[in-house]
Amino acid sequence: MEFACSHVVCNWRSDEAASTDFPHMNHEYDNVVKEAPPRPPPVPPPRLRPRPPLPPLPRLPSFKPRHAPGSLPPPLPPREDKMEADNSLKANVNIVSLSVGQLVNIQPDTDQEAVQSPVLCGKCSAALSCLSSLQRNMWVCEFCGSVNGVHVDVKGTCTAQCTAEHSDDLYLQSLSDDDYQNLEDSLVVFCVDISGSMSVTTEVPSSSALPVYVSRLEGIQDALQRALSSMLQDSPRRRVALVTFSDEVVIYGDGTSVPLTLRDWALVDYDHIWEQGAAYSVPHCIAETYRQLVQRVKDLREHGATCLGPAALASVAMASRHPGSKVILCTDGRANIGLGEMEQTSSPLTAHFYRQLAEQAVDTGVIISVMSFEGTDCRLADVGRLADTTGGRVNIVSIGTIATEIQSASMDNVLATGVTATLVACDGIYFPDEEDESDHKLVREIGNVTTGLQITFQFAVKPEFTEVFLQRDTLPFQLQLSFKTRDQQRVTRIITKRRPVTSSSRVGVGSFNMAVLGVHGAQLCAGLTMEGRVQDAQKQLKAQQDLLTQISEQRPIATQERIYGNWMDTMSTICDDITAESHTLSDEAAELVYQMRRATSVYSSSTAQTPQKPTKKKKTFMRRK
C-alpha cells in the first residue's frame, strides 16, 4: 500500500465538491503551494564618516508569551524544494496505490495455525492490529471512535510484520478435503474466429525473391501450434480446449471427443449455450491430447459469418468448472449473428450480454483475453470489456505478432480469485467519484488477479475536519484484502499504516511519488473515457499535466516520469478527438485506453505497458457511427 504524497493533504477539494454532493463545503481554504519568502537585500557597506550616537530607546513593557497548545502539528516537509508561489494543487495528491498482484501472491507457512479471524470493530468493521491501543481489554477504534470489548491478545493476532507505523497481518482459514484443487486442473480455452473474413491475406517477409502471402487463419493456425508445443514442453499436465465460431459454434474440447455444434436457434439461447458448454467432456492434459489438438487446428477452414458472443459464452462455460482457467478469444471482425451481435447500432441488450458474461466469468474465476487483427473493426471498445472486467489482455495483433501474444496470454496465470479490497480511513475522510463518497470506507470488488495488477484510489478530507486533523500527528489507513488462492486457500490480509498530516501550502516536490501519481492518472482518465465522461477525463488530464509541469520546474524529470507524461499526452489526444468529432472509439484507441486501465508502475513492474504517443490522426482514434 503506497501513497502518492508523504503526508495527507487536508485542505484539497475538487472544484465541484461544494455545489454537488457536499453543499456544506462552501468555504475556501488555502490551497496554494507556496515557497519560502524571499531573503531581504544585503546590508549596504558602512559609510566612511561615523554617525553621531543615537539617543537610547525607551524601555518596552515586559511581554509574556501565551501558553503553547497541548498538541502541536507534525513537523513540516523540507522547505528547500517548494514550488513557485500562486501554483494551486488542482490535482488530488491524496492517492493510495495497491499492487494487488504482489499482495495476493503469498506462500503461507504450513506450520502456521490456519483457523484465524481478525477482530473487527462493531461499527465500521476496521480490524484490530498491533498499532491499536488497548486499555483493560477495551479498544477505542482509531477509525470511528467506537468502543469495543476485546478478549484476545493483540500480539497474538499479528502473524506477519509490525513496526511503529506499519502492520501487516495474515489470516488463513483451514482447508477441507472438498476445497482442495490440483493447480494443473485449470483450462486454457482457445476461442478462434474462422469466419469468411479470416481468408484475407497479408504479405510477410520471405527469404525468396517472390512475395509470400499468409491469411489470418493461417497465422492463427501457426500461432496455436507453437503455443501447444510450448505448453507440451513447459506444462505437460495443463488442459487445453478448442472452440471455433463462424455462423455456428463448434466445441472440439481436447480434440479426442466428437465435436458439439451449436447453430440457428441455439445461438440466441443464453442458458442453453451455458449448459452445453459446461456439460462438455472435461479435457485431458495436453500430454495425452497434443496430436489430436494439432490435427484439429490444421483442419480448420474459414467460412460463414461471426457468432462471437455465443462462442465466448460456451468457452467461459467450459472453463468455469475450474477456477483460474482462461479463455483466449481471437477474432478479426465484429459479431453479426447470435447473442451479442453488433452489426447494427449498439443496443442495451448487446451491452447487457457482454456485461452479464463478464460478471459470470469473474464469479467463476475465469479470465478472458481478447485479440483482434490490425486494420479490422471488431468494436474492441465493447468486446474488450470482457477482458477489462475479468483481468485479461486486450491486444491488436498482426500476422507476425500473434504467436507471441497468444503465448504471453497463455502464461497469464490467475494468482487469486474472488478478490475484494476494502480501504478503511478515519471518520472525516471521503472518496471522491465513488458511489457512496460520503463514507470513510470503500469496498472494491476486483475478482480475478494476475501478475502485475495495480489499482489506485483517491481520497480527500471533509472541510469541517481539516482543523481537527491538522492538530493530529498521524491518520490511520487500513487495507483489508480477502481472496482465494489458486489452491482454494481462503486468505484475509490486513495492512494498517499511519500517515502524517499537513496542508497543501506546505507540500514540496520531494513529497510526491510520481509512480503512484502517474498510474492513478492513467487509470482514472482511461476509466472516465470508457464510461463516456470525456469532459471529466479532460479536466483530470489537465490537472495531472499541470502538476507534472510544476514538478519539472523544480527538479529533473526522470525517464520513468517522462513515460507517465507520455501517457497523459496520449489520453489527451484521444479525448480531444472524441470531443471534437463526437465519434466513438476506434479499435486502435480502445486498445490504448484498455492498456491505460491496466497501467502499472514502471518502477516496480517489468511487465508495465508503456504505449507510445501516436500521431494525432483522427482515423486512428475514432470510428464513424
Side-chain angles (χ1 to χ4, degrees):
M1 185 164 63
E2 294 183 277
F3 289 78
C5 186
S6 61
H7 288 58
V8 175
V9 179
C10 283
N11 53 342
W12 180 90
R13 68 183 181 92
S14 61
D15 296 336
E16 296 82 7
S19 58
T20 55
D21 297 320
F22 292 95
H24 57 281
M25 298 182 183
N26 53 11
H27 50 284
E28 295 292 335
Y29 287 91
D30 174 22
N31 196 34
V32 177
V33 181
K34 299 178 180 178
E35 64 178 2
R39 296 181 178 180
V43 179
R47 299 182 179 180
L48 296 178
R49 296 180 181 181
R51 288 186 175 183
L54 297 176
L57 295 175
R59 188 173 183 179
L60 296 177
S62 61
F63 172 75
K64 295 182 179 180
R66 297 180 179 179
H67 293 289
S71 176
L72 295 176
L76 302 179
R79 300 187 62 86
E80 63 270 11
D81 60 351
K82 294 293 180 296
M83 299 185 189
E84 295 182 1
D86 299 329
N87 284 332
S88 60
L89 267 177
K90 297 179 181 178
N92 187 6
V93 296
N94 291 319
I95 309 299
V96 181
S97 172
L98 309 179
S99 297
V100 187
Q102 297 177 11
L103 294 175
V104 302
N105 190 14
I106 62 172
Q107 299 295 331
D109 186 357
T110 54
D111 297 331
Q112 179 182 335
E113 183 180 357
V115 182
Q116 298 187 37
S117 59
V119 178
L120 302 179
C121 172
K123 181 179 179 182
C124 70
S125 298
L128 180 72
S129 71
C130 59
L131 301 182
S132 303
S133 178
L134 280 179
Q135 293 183 355
R136 297 181 180 179
N137 292 332
M138 301 300 292
W139 166 39
V140 178
C141 178
E142 56 268 39
F143 295 92
C144 68
S146 177
V147 180
N148 301 269
V150 179
H151 303 286
V152 297
D153 180 14
V154 181
K155 295 182 179 180
T157 65
C158 295
T159 60
Q161 54 180 314
C162 181
T163 65
E165 301 295 331
H166 175 88
S167 172
D168 189 350
D169 305 327
L170 206 63
Y171 301 91
L172 311 176
Q173 295 184 15
S174 59
L175 277 172
S176 66
D177 294 337
D178 295 336
D179 291 330
Y180 175 76
Q181 179 180 351
N182 189 333
L183 301 184
E184 294 293 337
D185 282 346
S186 61
L187 274 63
V188 177
V189 181
F190 293 110
C191 185
V192 180
D193 185 351
I194 59 168
S195 61
S197 58
M198 293 293 289
S199 61
V200 174
T201 60
T202 302
E203 184 177 354
V204 297
S206 173
S207 57
S208 64
L210 298 176
V212 176
Y213 293 90
V214 176
S215 70
R216 294 169 183 166
L217 180 58
E218 290 172 337
I220 285 186
Q221 289 173 312
D222 177 68
L224 290 179
Q225 292 179 62
R226 293 189 190 183
L228 293 173
S229 176
S230 177
M231 288 184 189
L232 179 63
Q233 296 179 7
D234 301 334
S235 304
R237 297 186 61 185
R238 180 65 58 87
R239 302 167 185 266
V240 182
L242 175 66
V243 175
T244 65
F245 61 95
S246 53
D247 50 10
E248 60 187 14
V249 176
V250 181
I251 303 176
Y252 291 98
D254 60 13
T256 62
S257 303
V258 177
L260 172 65
T261 302
L262 304 174
R263 58 169 66 95
D264 300 330
W265 63 269
L267 300 179
V268 293
D269 191 328
Y270 192 104
D271 293 336
H272 176 74
I273 296 173
W274 181 273
E275 292 171 359
Q276 293 297 311
Y280 196 78
S281 59
V282 177
H284 295 81
C285 63
I286 192 172
E288 302 174 7
T289 64
Y290 172 75
R291 294 184 181 276
Q292 291 87 340
L293 274 172
V294 169
Q295 189 59 49
R296 294 290 190 185
V297 170
K298 290 181 178 179
D299 292 342
L300 296 179
R301 297 293 181 267
E302 60 268 35
H303 67 280
T306 309
C307 57
L308 183 151
L313 176 58
S315 300
V316 172
M318 180 183 297
S320 66
R321 289 176 293 184
H322 299 281
S325 298
K326 59 178 69 70
V327 173
I328 301 176
L329 175 63
C330 305
T331 184
D332 75 333
R334 69 179 64 177
N336 50 28
I337 60 172
L339 294 171
E341 67 90 12
M342 306 178 198
E343 193 63 32
Q344 306 299 325
T345 304
S346 294
S347 67
L349 290 177
T350 297
H352 175 73
F353 167 77
Y354 289 105
R355 181 168 57 251
Q356 179 182 3
L357 178 56
E359 292 174 354
Q360 202 159 1
V362 170
D363 292 341
T364 55
V366 177
I367 65 173
I368 307 172
S369 291
V370 178
M371 299 180 188
S372 68
F373 278 91
E374 59 184 7
T376 62
D377 180 13
C378 72
R379 295 282 287 273
L380 198 58
D382 297 316
V383 181
R385 294 184 187 275
L386 294 174
D388 182 62
T389 304
T390 61
R393 300 183 177 215
V394 178
N395 290 107
I396 296 178
V397 300
S398 65
I399 296 296
T401 63
I402 187 171
T404 302
E405 294 298 337
I406 285 181
Q407 290 192 41
S408 298
S410 302
M411 293 185 293
D412 279 343
N413 291 328
V414 175
L415 300 176
T417 60
V419 182
T420 300
T422 302
L423 186 62
V424 183
C426 57
D427 193 12
I429 285 179
Y430 70 100
F431 297 93
D433 294 329
E434 299 295 334
E435 292 183 2
D436 186 10
E437 67 175 35
S438 61
D439 193 6
H440 63 99
K441 182 171 68 173
L442 175 64
V443 180
R444 180 73 59 84
E445 299 288 344
I446 301 175
N448 306 321
V449 171
T450 56
T451 303
L453 177 63
Q454 186 175 354
I455 62 175
T456 61
F457 307 91
Q458 62 174 324
F459 63 91
V461 176
K462 296 178 182 178
E464 62 266 29
F465 285 84
T466 298
E467 296 300 330
V468 177
F469 286 169
L470 284 174
Q471 299 303 313
R472 298 176 59 174
D473 292 335
T474 60
L475 295 178
F477 292 85
Q478 186 175 93
L479 169 67
Q480 300 177 1
L481 203 63
S482 62
F483 55 94
K484 292 175 67 175
T485 60
R486 290 183 62 204
D487 58 358
Q488 301 300 292
Q489 173 76 64
R490 295 182 181 273
V491 181
T492 299
R493 187 170 187 176
I494 297 178
I495 300 175
T496 309
K497 286 190 176 183
R498 292 173 178 158
R499 305 297 294 178
V501 184
T502 190
S503 63
S504 61
S505 60
R506 299 177 178 181
V507 179
V509 294
S511 305
F512 297 133
N513 184 330
M514 285 306 302
V516 175
L517 286 173
V519 170
H520 174 72
Q523 292 185 357
L524 175 62
C525 297
L528 292 172
T529 302
M530 296 309 300
E531 294 174 7
R533 300 168 56 185
V534 180
Q535 292 183 347
D536 291 338
Q538 288 177 316
K539 291 180 182 179
Q540 293 289 341
L541 286 165
K542 181 64 167 59
Q544 295 287 339
Q545 289 171 328
D546 289 346
L547 178 60
L548 187 63
T549 300
Q550 288 178 262
I551 294 175
S552 65
E553 291 174 353
Q554 298 297 319
R555 77 180 191 196
I557 295 295
T559 303
Q560 294 88 345
E561 294 173 6
R562 293 192 185 97
I563 293 175
Y564 301 139
N566 184 43
W567 291 356
M568 299 300 102
D569 293 342
T570 300
M571 287 301 307
S572 292
T573 306
I574 294 174
C575 291
D576 290 344
D577 284 345
I578 295 175
T579 302
E581 302 294 337
S582 298
H583 290 183
T584 56
L585 288 174
S586 68
D587 283 4
E588 291 79 7
E591 179 192 29
L592 287 173
V593 173
Y594 280 125
Q595 287 181 4
M596 298 286 189
R597 288 264 291 166
R598 312 293 290 186
T600 58
S601 169
V602 296
Y603 287 110
S604 58
S605 175
S606 60
T607 60
Q609 300 185 34
T610 55
Q612 300 297 316
K613 180 181 178 182
T615 306
K616 187 174 180 179
K617 295 181 180 180
K618 294 181 180 179
K619 66 179 182 180
T620 303
F621 303 111
M622 302 174 300
R623 177 177 61 247
R624 295 187 177 276
K625 293 182 179 179

mmCIF file of all heavy atoms in Angstrom, residues 346-361:
data_model
loop_
_atom_site.group_PDB
_atom_site.id
_atom_site.type_symbol
_atom_site.label_atom_id
_atom_site.label_comp_id
_atom_site.label_asym_id
_atom_site.label_seq_id
_atom_site.Cartn_x
_atom_site.Cartn_y
_atom_site.Cartn_z
ATOM 1 N N SER A 346 -25.386 -0.257 -31.561
ATOM 2 C CA SER A 346 -25.357 -0.932 -30.274
ATOM 3 C C SER A 346 -26.673 -0.731 -29.534
ATOM 4 O O SER A 346 -27.202 0.369 -29.462
ATOM 5 C CB SER A 346 -24.199 -0.385 -29.420
ATOM 6 O OG SER A 346 -22.969 -0.706 -30.002
ATOM 7 N N SER A 347 -27.187 -1.825 -28.987
ATOM 8 C CA SER A 347 -28.436 -1.790 -28.250
ATOM 9 C C SER A 347 -28.177 -2.112 -26.792
ATOM 10 O O SER A 347 -27.139 -2.689 -26.447
ATOM 11 C CB SER A 347 -29.424 -2.801 -28.841
ATOM 12 O OG SER A 347 -28.959 -4.122 -28.610
ATOM 13 N N PRO A 348 -29.106 -1.755 -25.903
ATOM 14 C CA PRO A 348 -28.942 -2.108 -24.482
ATOM 15 C C PRO A 348 -28.797 -3.615 -24.267
ATOM 16 O O PRO A 348 -28.097 -4.045 -23.355
ATOM 17 C CB PRO A 348 -30.217 -1.567 -23.837
ATOM 18 C CG PRO A 348 -30.680 -0.472 -24.745
ATOM 19 C CD PRO A 348 -30.295 -0.909 -26.121
ATOM 20 N N LEU A 349 -29.463 -4.430 -25.123
ATOM 21 C CA LEU A 349 -29.357 -5.882 -24.983
ATOM 22 C C LEU A 349 -27.936 -6.357 -25.252
ATOM 23 O O LEU A 349 -27.434 -7.269 -24.582
ATOM 24 C CB LEU A 349 -30.342 -6.572 -25.930
ATOM 25 C CG LEU A 349 -31.830 -6.433 -25.592
ATOM 26 C CD1 LEU A 349 -32.677 -7.115 -26.655
ATOM 27 C CD2 LEU A 349 -32.120 -7.026 -24.211
ATOM 28 N N THR A 350 -27.278 -5.761 -26.243
ATOM 29 C CA THR A 350 -25.900 -6.141 -26.552
ATOM 30 C C THR A 350 -24.980 -5.812 -25.393
ATOM 31 O O THR A 350 -24.173 -6.650 -24.957
ATOM 32 C CB THR A 350 -25.423 -5.423 -27.826
ATOM 33 O OG1 THR A 350 -26.230 -5.836 -28.933
ATOM 34 C CG2 THR A 350 -23.963 -5.750 -28.112
ATOM 35 N N ALA A 351 -25.092 -4.599 -24.868
ATOM 36 C CA ALA A 351 -24.258 -4.208 -23.730
ATOM 37 C C ALA A 351 -24.539 -5.094 -22.523
ATOM 38 O O ALA A 351 -23.618 -5.477 -21.795
ATOM 39 C CB ALA A 351 -24.499 -2.739 -23.394
ATOM 40 N N HIS A 352 -25.812 -5.425 -22.316
ATOM 41 C CA HIS A 352 -26.179 -6.271 -21.180
ATOM 42 C C HIS A 352 -25.570 -7.670 -21.317
ATOM 43 O O HIS A 352 -25.120 -8.259 -20.326
ATOM 44 C CB HIS A 352 -27.699 -6.378 -21.074
ATOM 45 C CG HIS A 352 -28.170 -7.331 -20.014
ATOM 46 N ND1 HIS A 352 -28.084 -7.055 -18.662
ATOM 47 C CD2 HIS A 352 -28.704 -8.591 -20.105
ATOM 48 C CE1 HIS A 352 -28.560 -8.078 -17.970
ATOM 49 N NE2 HIS A 352 -28.942 -9.024 -18.821
ATOM 50 N N PHE A 353 -25.541 -8.202 -22.538
ATOM 51 C CA PHE A 353 -24.993 -9.543 -22.748
ATOM 52 C C PHE A 353 -23.523 -9.598 -22.350
ATOM 53 O O PHE A 353 -23.102 -10.500 -21.598
ATOM 54 C CB PHE A 353 -25.152 -9.959 -24.207
ATOM 55 C CG PHE A 353 -24.342 -11.176 -24.571
ATOM 56 C CD1 PHE A 353 -24.761 -12.438 -24.210
ATOM 57 C CD2 PHE A 353 -23.145 -11.043 -25.263
ATOM 58 C CE1 PHE A 353 -24.009 -13.555 -24.522
ATOM 59 C CE2 PHE A 353 -22.385 -12.155 -25.591
ATOM 60 C CZ PHE A 353 -22.821 -13.421 -25.220
ATOM 61 N N TYR A 354 -22.717 -8.658 -22.843
ATOM 62 C CA TYR A 354 -21.287 -8.690 -22.544
ATOM 63 C C TYR A 354 -21.019 -8.382 -21.069
ATOM 64 O O TYR A 354 -20.085 -8.935 -20.472
ATOM 65 C CB TYR A 354 -20.534 -7.715 -23.450
ATOM 66 C CG TYR A 354 -20.475 -8.202 -24.879
ATOM 67 C CD1 TYR A 354 -21.275 -7.634 -25.866
ATOM 68 C CD2 TYR A 354 -19.640 -9.258 -25.231
ATOM 69 C CE1 TYR A 354 -21.242 -8.097 -27.172
ATOM 70 C CE2 TYR A 354 -19.589 -9.732 -26.536
ATOM 71 C CZ TYR A 354 -20.394 -9.143 -27.497
ATOM 72 O OH TYR A 354 -20.366 -9.613 -28.800
ATOM 73 N N ARG A 355 -21.834 -7.533 -20.465
ATOM 74 C CA ARG A 355 -21.674 -7.255 -19.043
ATOM 75 C C ARG A 355 -22.014 -8.487 -18.209
ATOM 76 O O ARG A 355 -21.297 -8.843 -17.267
ATOM 77 C CB ARG A 355 -22.555 -6.070 -18.642
ATOM 78 C CG ARG A 355 -22.428 -5.678 -17.163
ATOM 79 C CD ARG A 355 -23.090 -4.337 -16.884
ATOM 80 N NE ARG A 355 -24.487 -4.334 -17.274
ATOM 81 C CZ ARG A 355 -24.973 -3.668 -18.304
ATOM 82 N NH1 ARG A 355 -24.171 -2.957 -19.075
ATOM 83 N NH2 ARG A 355 -26.265 -3.699 -18.598
ATOM 84 N N GLN A 356 -23.103 -9.179 -18.579
ATOM 85 C CA GLN A 356 -23.504 -10.382 -17.844
ATOM 86 C C GLN A 356 -22.464 -11.481 -17.987
ATOM 87 O O GLN A 356 -22.113 -12.165 -17.011
ATOM 88 C CB GLN A 356 -24.861 -10.873 -18.342
ATOM 89 C CG GLN A 356 -25.359 -12.138 -17.647
ATOM 90 C CD GLN A 356 -26.683 -12.627 -18.212
ATOM 91 O OE1 GLN A 356 -27.215 -12.051 -19.161
ATOM 92 N NE2 GLN A 356 -27.227 -13.685 -17.629
ATOM 93 N N LEU A 357 -21.938 -11.668 -19.182
ATOM 94 C CA LEU A 357 -20.932 -12.708 -19.405
ATOM 95 C C LEU A 357 -19.658 -12.404 -18.624
ATOM 96 O O LEU A 357 -19.052 -13.312 -18.028
ATOM 97 C CB LEU A 357 -20.633 -12.825 -20.900
ATOM 98 C CG LEU A 357 -19.564 -13.846 -21.299
ATOM 99 C CD1 LEU A 357 -19.913 -15.232 -20.775
ATOM 100 C CD2 LEU A 357 -19.375 -13.864 -22.813
ATOM 101 N N ALA A 358 -19.250 -11.128 -18.607
ATOM 102 C CA ALA A 358 -18.044 -10.756 -17.867
ATOM 103 C C ALA A 358 -18.223 -11.007 -16.373
ATOM 104 O O ALA A 358 -17.318 -11.533 -15.709
ATOM 105 C CB ALA A 358 -17.707 -9.288 -18.123
ATOM 106 N N GLU A 359 -19.378 -10.651 -15.841
ATOM 107 C CA GLU A 359 -19.631 -10.871 -14.410
ATOM 108 C C GLU A 359 -19.668 -12.357 -14.077
ATOM 109 O O GLU A 359 -19.172 -12.780 -13.022
ATOM 110 C CB GLU A 359 -20.943 -10.200 -14.014
ATOM 111 C CG GLU A 359 -20.891 -8.675 -14.073
ATOM 112 C CD GLU A 359 -22.244 -8.046 -13.826
ATOM 113 O OE1 GLU A 359 -23.246 -8.801 -13.715
ATOM 114 O OE2 GLU A 359 -22.328 -6.801 -13.737
ATOM 115 N N GLN A 360 -20.235 -13.163 -14.981
ATOM 116 C CA GLN A 360 -20.282 -14.608 -14.737
ATOM 117 C C GLN A 360 -18.876 -15.209 -14.787
ATOM 118 O O GLN A 360 -18.558 -16.131 -14.030
ATOM 119 C CB GLN A 360 -21.193 -15.279 -15.769
ATOM 120 C CG GLN A 360 -21.734 -16.626 -15.329
ATOM 121 C CD GLN A 360 -22.980 -17.021 -16.096
ATOM 122 O OE1 GLN A 360 -23.439 -16.302 -16.984
ATOM 123 N NE2 GLN A 360 -23.555 -18.166 -15.757
ATOM 124 N N ALA A 361 -18.037 -14.686 -15.669
ATOM 125 C CA ALA A 361 -16.657 -15.158 -15.731
ATOM 126 C C ALA A 361 -15.904 -14.811 -14.448
ATOM 127 O O ALA A 361 -15.140 -15.631 -13.922
ATOM 128 C CB ALA A 361 -15.954 -14.552 -16.943
#
